[in-house]
Amino acid sequence: MSFAAVTRQGARYARFAQLRCFSSTPKTSAAAEVKKLGVIGAGQMGLGIALVAAQKAQLPIKLVDTSQASIDKGLKFANKLLEKDVGKQRISQDDATAARERLSTSTNIDDLSDVDFVIEAVPEIPDLKTKIFSQIAQICPSHAILATNTSSISITRIAAATTTDPTDLSAPSRVISTHFMNPVPVQKGVEIITGLQTSQNTIDTAIELCKKMGKIPSKSADSPGFLANRILMPYINEAIICLETGVGNKEDIDSIMKNGTNVPMGPLQLADFIGIDTCLAIMKVLHEETGDSKYRPAVLLRKMVDAGWLGKKSGKGFYDY
């Protein structure tokens, strides 16, 4: 038999196996119904997630943050976004009022005791996230899905914090990452990242919730940086190295990427919008967990964080705001 014939036969076998695989897949989803959503963290990401869920999925939301000032600031921003949508006739005033009324707040994490799904959206500090998950595993109902918005920290590690017994998967199996892209009201993509312990029911429920929020989910393995940041952050880091070594100035670096690759903003401006400190935190995780020198954070990136130049949120980054 010729090489071409063997190749054709192999392709037929592959298609047959693929068809068998698809035909054995259940047609009905194992997704559980989400009637109430909890969000931890009233910062830009948490507020964005809560607002989109209130608008698109039309779910009652409990937004929790330890700081009342952060909650007040977040609600002020939410009202501004809703007013903007009404002004541009994207939604009616009645829709905006209804979305705002679905959003309630608290400074007490115990108020998440009746949610079906909770999304943690606090800073990328591993100890902080594991502490929160050890708490919500005890506070939330036994059926509740426990999701994190982490952009770089291992889901398996976070899930392990929900129990002291590694053989007990009742809580760890309900842990998953729903990594929303920033800004949440604008970006469609969500990374669905599973830990070693994550159940299929948890995956299905997370995917269905994201779809109801008008998002497009993509699945990623539990690997440092996952998909989005494994690709994006080295790109931003290399742009910073180009700046610090004089390969180009900030305007030319951003201009060539915008006008040469058709991205909406250049890497340095994007870093400002993400947050310079967030970029550094993710690069540190990539570098430490892979041990690969190609993920070493740029010297200038560290210096800017030391200076407090964190980007748009602080008023100064690579550009002034």
Side-chain angles (χ1 to χ4, degrees), residues 98-163:
R100 180 64 185 82
E101 289 176 349
R102 293 186 191 106
L103 186 57
S104 61
T105 65
S106 174
T107 55
N108 187 352
I109 198 169
D110 289 338
D111 287 338
L112 296 173
S113 61
D114 62 345
V115 300
D116 303 302
F117 198 114
V118 60
I119 302 173
E120 164 272 312
V122 303
E124 290 290 277
I125 303 171
D127 289 346
L128 175 59
K129 289 185 184 287
T130 53
K131 178 183 177 182
I132 288 172
F133 272 79
S134 66
Q135 290 178 300
I136 60 177
Q138 301 297 319
I139 295 168
C140 296
S142 59
H143 70 275
I145 304 301
L146 313 176
T148 174
N149 188 57
T150 185
S151 56
S152 59
I153 300 167
S154 168
I155 312 308
T156 300
R157 177 182 176 186
I158 292 173
T162 63
T163 180

Side-chain angles (χ1 to χ4, degrees), residues 14-193:
R15 285 195 296 272
F16 176 69
Q18 189 178 41
L19 286 171
R20 284 178 59 85
C21 178
F22 287 150
S23 65
S24 64
T25 301
K27 295 183 182 300
T28 56
S29 171
E33 184 180 5
V34 177
K35 296 179 180 179
K36 187 172 183 180
L37 177 69
V39 177
I40 302 173
Q44 185 176 4
M45 291 302 296
L47 187 280
I49 293 167
L51 184 59
V52 170
Q55 279 188 276
K56 301 290 185 180
Q58 298 185 359
L59 290 171
I61 315 294
K62 178 66 74 173
L63 179 63
V64 176
D65 196 294
T66 56
S67 167
Q68 185 61 49
S70 294
I71 290 174
D72 294 341
K73 182 179 179 181
L75 291 179
K76 184 178 179 180
F77 183 57
N79 291 332
K80 182 178 179 181
L81 289 178
L82 290 170
E83 288 171 7
K84 183 178 179 181
D85 283 346
V86 171
K88 292 190 174 183
Q89 298 184 334
R90 293 172 181 162
I91 60 173
S92 68
Q93 183 60 59
D94 287 345
D95 290 337
T97 301
R100 180 64 185 82
E101 289 176 349
R102 293 186 191 106
L103 186 57
S104 61
T105 65
S106 174
T107 55
N108 187 352
I109 198 169
D110 289 338
D111 287 338
L112 296 173
S113 61
D114 62 345
V115 300
D116 303 302
F117 198 114
V118 60
I119 302 173
E120 164 272 312
V122 303
E124 290 290 277
I125 303 171
D127 289 346
L128 175 59
K129 289 185 184 287
T130 53
K131 178 183 177 182
I132 288 172
F133 272 79
S134 66
Q135 290 178 300
I136 60 177
Q138 301 297 319
I139 295 168
C140 296
S142 59
H143 70 275
I145 304 301
L146 313 176
T148 174
N149 188 57
T150 185
S151 56
S152 59
I153 300 167
S154 168
I155 312 308
T156 300
R157 177 182 176 186
I158 292 173
T162 63
T163 180
T164 56
D165 180 1
T167 65
D168 178 11
L169 295 180
S170 57
S173 68
R174 294 182 282 115
V175 175
I176 196 167
S177 175
T178 50
H179 175 213
F180 290 81
M181 302 296 113
N182 186 27
V184 181
V186 176
Q187 301 290 7
K188 292 289 187 181
V190 179
E191 270 188 315
I192 304 294
I193 306 116

